[in-house]
Amino acid sequence: MPEEKGARLTPQGISYDTVPHIVNADGQYLFCRTWEPATEPKALVFIAHGAGEHCGRYNDLAQMLVEHSLLAFAHDHVGHGQSEGVRMAVSDFHIFVRDCLQHIDQMVKIHPNLPVFLLGHSMGGAIAILTACERPTEFAGVMLIAPMVVMNPEAASPFKVCLAKILNRVLPNLSMGSIQSTWISRDEKEVENYDKDPLVCHDGMKVSFGIQLLNAVSWIEQALPDIAWPFLVMHGDADKLCDIRGSHLMYEKAQSRDKTLKIYEGAYHALHKDLPEIINAVFKEIGSWIMQRIPKEQEKSSP
Ligand code: 9JX
């Protein structure tokens, strides 16, 4: 039978031939975005999005990075947005991390000798942390927006955790409830954007996905004392989705000499989608944090 060419479609029915993508180690197609500055980039910034969302939600943030002459790039994780894979499912959390490293390696090949930064939000924060832990000396810095460092006992009560561990053997695809979108941002418009976004997965979290999140926080917990790379962690003190104690714990436990914790009073989970004053402060913080960690341009003329 003749092989059909170019028949590979995104979950939305667009041919992968026409959209930027990478093929991961399992042969799955992942949708990619690149935000390039007009001039030579000063550094690369990889963005890891959170559970259920997609990298298009980082357009504004990436635009700000581009204005600093930084090249931002991202992909939709397996099972998310315009990438392949069962929606919000992954057989092993390390697959997310492995795919990020592949994408980063590909971009570094095109733009060698530039500092590489990681930026992650929520579950994407967990991915960024584990990615940096895999290559502890490779990254110039890691920026975390409300990262999932510990599990939130409100979202994953001891009962729910116990139930998930049992159900995972018999009903791994059972949904255990979706997140409340009004907890993402205090800005109604942003909540509406999230609710109406067809690339966001609004399904509940599967039992098997919950198990992978539990694995992720357990790996992070073990890795915290070994962390020595520079990081900036930002968290809203009214976040009801990811526990702010995780950000405090990371700040305390990591041995990094270059570490910063910024708390945003009253802010909800997605700081980069919260009230304009929070977005402004967070964008400013991220921009200047990166620029301070990029080597200044070498003096061209010698005396
Ligand atoms: C899940 C396990 C942790 C059983 C849940 C934009 C957690 C984003 C995101 C936000 C995850 C929500 C919460 C199902 C069944 C360990 C919007 C389980 C679990 C269990 C938390 C916080 C990441 C889920 N949302 N969760 N999120 N969190 O600790 O990435 S991004 Cl036990």
Side-chain angles (χ1 to χ4, degrees):
M1 220 169 84
E3 183 116 334
E4 250 198 82
K5 278 264 160 78
R8 203 112 178 189
L9 305 179
T10 69
Q12 293 73 30
I14 301 164
S15 169
Y16 277 111
D17 286 348
T18 67
V19 294
H21 65 273
I22 60 168
V23 182
N24 78 2
D26 295 318
Q28 290 167 305
Y29 284 45
L30 306 184
F31 173 81
C32 299
R33 283 184 200 269
T34 309
W35 295 269
E36 281 184 78
T39 54
E40 265 306 293
K42 291 182 161 73
L44 307 178
V45 185
F46 177 78
I47 301 171
H49 70 74
E53 55 164 5
H54 62 95
C55 65
R57 286 175 48 79
Y58 293 80
N59 233 331
D60 295 350
L61 183 51
Q63 220 53 61
M64 175 277 292
L65 296 172
V66 164
E67 279 161 27
H68 282 98
S69 293
L70 304 166
L71 186 153
F73 65 112
H75 60 250
D76 292 350
H77 305 303
V78 165
H80 288 76
Q82 298 179 80
S83 291
E84 290 185 329
V86 179
R87 298 298 88 186
M88 270 221 267
V90 71
S91 56
D92 187 315
F93 198 83
H94 277 132
I95 288 174
F96 289 148
V97 176
R98 180 204 65 189
D99 292 348
C100 291
L101 286 169
Q102 179 193 333
H103 196 180
I104 291 161
D105 286 343
Q106 276 180 235
M107 197 56 84
V108 167
K109 262 207 183 123
I110 305 168
H111 300 277
N113 307 318
L114 288 178
V116 184
F117 292 86
L118 301 176
L119 192 156
H121 167 53
S122 200
M123 180 190 81
I127 295 170
I129 292 168
L130 292 170
T131 301
C133 287
E134 202 99 341
R135 308 249 188 99
T137 59
E138 191 165 306
F139 301 105
V142 179
M143 296 150 286
L144 304 161
I145 302 174
M148 184 187 70
V149 172
V150 298
M151 64 168 204
N152 181 0
E154 312 280 335
S157 62
F159 174 74
K160 206 165 168 177
V161 170
C162 186
L163 196 65
K165 283 179 179 171
I166 295 164
L167 287 176
N168 193 37
R169 309 211 167 241
V170 281
L171 292 168
N173 296 327
L174 186 81
S175 161
M176 283 187 81
S178 47
I179 65 155
Q180 203 167 315
S181 60
T182 51
W183 289 353
I184 286 173
S185 167
R186 287 178 290 174
D187 188 330
E188 275 176 39
K189 191 86 201 118
E190 289 298 349
V191 172
E192 195 185 323
N193 284 346
Y194 180 88
D195 287 336
K196 285 191 178 159
D197 189 338
L199 295 179
V200 167
C201 178
H202 300 97
D203 302 347
M205 258 187 218
K206 290 180 183 68
V207 166
S208 61
F209 198 71
I211 295 296
Q212 291 312 317
L213 294 184
L214 286 175
N215 289 342
V217 295
S218 146
W219 290 324
I220 291 172
E221 188 189 358
Q222 294 170 49
L224 285 185
D226 298 322
I227 290 174
W229 28 262
F231 69 84
L232 163 66
V233 55
M234 298 156 276
H235 219 118
D237 74 355
D239 188 337
K240 295 196 258 280
L241 286 168
C242 281
D243 197 331
I244 195 171
R245 282 175 291 190
S247 289
H248 283 285
L249 191 73
M250 176 169 179
Y251 183 75
E252 286 161 24
K253 287 269 169 85
Q255 50 180 291
S256 313
R257 276 193 294 142
D258 179 4
K259 54 181 176 180
T260 309
L261 171 66
K262 292 271 172 192
I263 305 296
Y264 295 88
E265 219 183 292
Y268 278 13
H269 184 54
L271 298 172
H272 56 302
K273 300 279 183 191
D274 204 65
L275 300 181
E277 72 224 51
I278 301 289
I279 299 176
N280 278 336
V282 165
F283 279 20
K284 262 210 180 113
E285 188 64 42
I286 292 171
S288 59
W289 194 85
I290 296 177
M291 295 320 279
Q292 283 163 14
R293 280 153 187 85
I294 292 177
K296 291 273 178 296
E297 185 121 36
Q298 292 288 311
E299 289 298 333
K300 293 257 161 57
S301 57
S302 44

